[in-house]
Amino acid sequence: MDRLYGTHKPTGLVQKSILAVGSGIMSIADPSRDDMISIFGETTGGLALKYMQEKMVIDPEGDRILKERPIINSKTVDLEYLKTLPIGTLGKTYSNFLGKYNLTPDARRPVSFIDDSELAYIMRRYREIHDLTHVTLGMPINMLGEVTVKWFEGIQYGLPMCVLGAFFGPLRLGPKHTAKYLHLTLPWIVRTARQSRSFMNVYFEKHWHKSLNEFRRELNILEPPPKI
Amino acid sequence: MFIRTLSSINRFSLLSILRTHSTTSNTTHFGFDEVPENEKQTRVNEVFSSVADSYDLMNDIMSFGIHRIWKDHFIRIVRPDPQWNYIDVAGGTGDIAFRYLKELDRYYPSAASSIPLSESPITPTHTYIADSLEQTRIRPTSKCVVADINPNMLAVGKQRSIDNNLHNRIQWIETNAEELPFEDEQFDVYTIAFGIRNCTHIDRVVSEAYRVLKKGGRFLCLEFSQVNNTLLRYFYDQYSKTFIPPMGQIIANDWKSYQYLIESIRVFPKQKEFAELIRSCNFRYVNFENLSFGVSTIHSGYKL
């Protein structure tokens, strides 16, 4: 097999199985190995990525994303411009989010083990919009926020890594968060994920100037539960 | 990514992120943490120590532990002698050097502590420009020298030698195998194990070995080589290509190095060709011994 894209590492079925099993075990055994989590996602996500691809092709904005293949990193996104936007817009909130948690849009691992160029792009896009998903849903980076986003991604995209994270993540929540999770957050996020447009079809980069509330209305996102 | 952010971003580390913008004196940064300066080197060493540990684990897994047998056999072929000046090049974390000293102690127990390392070598601050390369060369300060191009591996080796109680018998030196900083004819035995295939110019490494060896000195190289049996070679190739890079990714987070490893093994000269290369550097009585059907090979030559 030839290399289909820059970071592609062609692998056979046996190698993918080794990677899938090994990375699954290592993700749990050593949670600091973030590369194991991303490799687990890549090796188990084949079917889900095809499902995501179908959903993108039939939506006009999603199809445009597939054709143009926009990339989100510190070179393609003008972070200085985002800072100048009015408060309450998607761009300004995203910029504040990155600043608050000391994040950079460059932190995503490159995709290596997916043997189709378009599916590899879809995986990459999924990783790059993760922070924007946080911002759009209004979820912080704590355990509860991450689990919520994983539920959202799991329902919308079907990636096994998201589904597993969504199921097992809540086991680590403290009592206060567990109560909130079960009564408020979980029902809200499941309803939201099923009703709203797929975020893979959202060309976020074209909506920086929009007010966040209007953006949420367009995507059919319900009002998030109040913060504790 | 998200689990690392989960574990690292809690209330307390958010505060410490804010605080990193103002370190007090005598502290420095280690990633997101603020640590006393003298602790930083320890922490850096710990990072490389764990990298070295995962590479050691990979060695065990790839070779099913057989690499230990190869190295033990290699040292038995060397047959250490307490009067020798010994150098292990590309010795990194000290695997071969420790075996050398332990084997020496087995056969010459009284010699164990009789040849101490001289006072820790004072690195001269050169305030002059030497007229020639020869003037900058040094003599070994110990009967056992370990040379490597990678300072982190040397640091790990130093730490391990302290744990093994062999610290004051080894001189650790950071250098390129193609240009050793030693004067001519300083050593009785020169070994290089699983290192020469990574060097850019193999012939220069062998020539340098010839230069620093005394007359009557021996050059010994343990390295991966070609499996001559066709059927075995097929299974060996399949095993290498299928298992080694993924295992390298999982255990050592390093697909590339292990992909490079299996490719560089196949690109390295075959047993006879390498023997010819050694002969062309003026070594005599050059021969080789295959280990594990040629997966590894020991080449040996004498300077006479």
Side-chain angles (χ1 to χ4, degrees):
Chain A
M1 206 187 312
D2 292 327
R3 285 188 28 177
L4 299 166
Y5 48 91
T7 51
H8 185 206
K9 293 187 178 105
T11 44
L13 181 60
V14 178
Q15 291 180 309
K16 282 209 181 62
S17 316
I18 298 172
L19 285 169
V21 171
S23 62
I25 297 172
M26 282 300 277
S27 308
I28 303 174
D30 188 359
S32 67
R33 293 280 305 271
D34 57 332
D35 62 306
M36 289 288 100
I37 297 167
S38 42
I39 289 176
F40 185 66
E42 284 172 35
T43 48
T44 56
L47 208 56
L49 285 170
K50 290 211 177 87
Y51 168 70
M52 283 156 85
Q53 185 185 33
E54 282 169 21
K55 284 186 80 174
M56 283 176 87
V57 169
I58 59 179
D59 178 288
E61 205 173 340
D63 191 44
R64 190 170 162 207
I65 294 175
L66 282 179
K67 286 203 172 70
E68 290 177 21
R69 296 204 183 171
I71 293 175
I72 301 178
N73 58 35
S74 52
K75 290 193 211 80
T76 54
V77 170
D78 190 349
L79 293 167
E80 292 306 314
Y81 163 65
L82 294 184
K83 277 193 202 137
T84 63
L85 287 168
I87 296 183
T89 53
L90 176 66
K92 180 75 175 160
T93 318
Y94 178 55
S95 168
N96 290 346
F97 182 87
L98 291 177
K100 179 176 174 193
Y101 294 112
N102 212 1
L103 298 170
T104 156
D106 296 327
R108 299 294 151 185
R109 272 188 63 90
V111 176
S112 294
F113 299 112
I114 294 180
D115 299 326
D116 178 292
S117 167
E118 187 157 272
L119 296 180
Y121 170 72
I122 294 175
M123 188 62 158
R124 179 179 188 174
R125 177 83 183 161
Y126 153 71
R127 283 187 192 154
E128 288 174 355
I129 63 173
H130 180 79
D131 287 338
L132 282 161
T133 313
H134 268 280
V135 170
T136 313
L137 293 173
M139 287 293 118
I141 298 247
N142 57 23
M143 190 77 195
L144 181 59
E146 290 287 353
V147 164
T148 313
V149 172
K150 279 283 161 281
W151 265 107
F152 184 87
E153 290 173 347
I155 292 175
Q156 284 214 333
Y157 312 142
L159 287 162
M161 180 188 82
C162 303
V163 174
L164 287 173
F167 279 163
F168 292 109
L171 296 173
R172 298 177 59 178
L173 288 173
K176 195 169 68 168
H177 276 173
T178 311
K180 178 183 180 191
Y181 165 72
L182 289 174
H183 294 132
L184 290 175
T185 319
L186 187 54
W188 166 73
I189 195 66
V190 172
R191 232 174 279 140
T192 307
R194 296 186 58 143
Q195 280 182 225
S196 77
R197 275 182 69 198
S198 170
F199 275 21
M200 287 301 290
N201 290 335
V202 176
Y203 208 140
F204 286 95
E205 297 94 312
K206 305 279 177 195
H207 300 289
W208 294 131
H209 59 281
K210 274 210 181 101
S211 110
L212 201 46
N213 290 332
E214 189 195 328
F215 188 55
R216 284 178 180 153
R217 246 180 319 204
E218 281 176 16
L219 294 173
N220 208 7
I221 291 176
L222 310 170
E223 189 67 37
K227 287 204 177 104
I228 292 183
Chain B
M1 174 74 198
F2 91 99
I3 288 186
R4 179 160 67 185
T5 46
L6 285 173
S7 53
S8 67
I9 312 284
N10 55 38
R11 288 201 295 283
F12 303 106
S13 57
L14 274 176
L15 284 174
S16 70
I17 288 170
L18 291 172
R19 279 206 214 106
T20 48
H21 292 291
S22 58
T23 51
T24 56
S25 61
N26 300 328
T27 60
T28 178
H29 298 292
F30 181 78
F32 279 151
D33 294 341
E34 185 186 321
V35 300
E37 271 164 10
N38 49 13
E39 212 185 286
K40 174 163 183 174
Q41 189 55 50
T42 318
R43 293 249 201 152
V44 168
N45 289 343
E46 276 167 12
V47 170
F48 284 104
S49 177
S50 80
V51 165
D53 284 344
S54 67
Y55 282 111
D56 282 346
L57 179 60
M58 265 310 283
N59 282 345
D60 274 330
I61 290 187
M62 280 195 294
S63 67
F64 300 102
I66 298 176
H67 73 107
R68 296 163 190 254
I69 303 178
W70 294 333
K71 289 171 184 166
D72 289 343
H73 183 73
F74 183 60
I75 287 298
R76 260 178 269 131
I77 300 241
V78 171
R79 281 194 43 191
D81 186 297
Q83 294 180 352
W84 284 346
N85 285 341
Y86 168 69
I87 182 169
D88 181 39
V89 176
T93 51
D95 266 359
I96 301 289
F98 298 160
R99 281 179 167 84
Y100 180 90
L101 290 172
K102 286 183 184 156
E103 188 79 356
L104 195 57
D105 294 345
R106 273 183 64 199
Y107 286 99
Y108 303 92
S110 56
S113 48
S114 62
I115 325 252
L117 181 63
S118 58
E119 285 304 303
S120 33
I122 305 158
T123 32
T125 47
H126 293 284
T127 53
Y128 61 92
I129 299 174
D131 292 323
S132 67
L133 186 57
E134 285 71 35
Q135 284 188 1
T136 61
R137 289 191 177 138
I138 58 175
R139 294 192 170 200
T141 56
S142 165
K143 287 281 192 198
C144 176
V145 177
V146 174
D148 198 283
I149 201 170
N150 184 327
N152 300 310
M153 290 294 152
L154 286 171
V156 174
K158 245 180 244 182
Q159 184 55 48
R160 287 189 187 172
S161 71
I162 294 173
D163 299 336
N164 274 330
N165 225 352
L166 298 168
H167 176 60
N168 52 0
R169 296 165 68 185
I170 300 178
Q171 176 187 12
W172 302 89
I173 193 148
E174 180 185 336
T175 175
N176 185 330
E178 296 180 22
E179 275 177 20
L180 295 172
F182 294 105
E183 291 179 16
D184 297 2
E185 304 205 352
Q186 294 297 310
F187 296 101
D188 297 282
V189 171
Y190 173 115
T191 59
I192 181 166
F194 300 118
I196 201 167
R197 97 185 162 275
N198 298 318
C199 299
T200 324
H201 302 105
I202 302 173
D203 51 334
R204 287 189 207 167
V205 174
V206 180
S207 306
E208 270 297 270
Y210 189 84
R211 181 181 70 76
V212 301
L213 277 170
K214 293 181 196 167
K215 210 156 181 301
R218 191 178 189 190
F219 166 84
L220 284 140
C221 171
L222 172 63
E223 189 53 81
F224 289 114
S225 197
Q226 316 297 325
V227 173
N228 290 317
N229 180 305
T230 318
L231 189 63
L232 282 178
R233 186 169 57 234
Y234 172 75
F235 284 113
Y236 175 56
D237 286 348
Q238 292 308 310
Y239 166 72
S240 297
K241 280 186 257 189
T242 315
F243 282 91
I244 291 179
M247 288 310 292
Q249 177 66 57
I250 290 173
I251 293 178
N253 191 8
D254 196 350
W255 176 287
K256 281 211 178 86
S257 293
Y258 288 95
Q259 182 69 37
Y260 161 75
L261 168 71
I262 61 177
E263 287 169 5
S264 66
I265 290 175
R266 278 144 191 89
V267 163
F268 191 73
K270 294 190 180 174
Q271 284 87 331
K272 289 206 183 116
E273 284 165 31
F274 188 46
E276 270 312 307
L277 190 148
I278 299 174
R279 261 179 225 120
S280 74
C281 295
N282 291 322
F283 282 102
R284 311 258 312 271
Y285 293 101
V286 176
N287 54 25
F288 59 84
E289 177 185 337
N290 280 331
L291 306 176
S292 305
F293 302 104
V295 174
S296 299
T297 303
I298 300 177
H299 278 81
S300 154
Y302 291 89
K303 173 173 176 173
L304 295 171

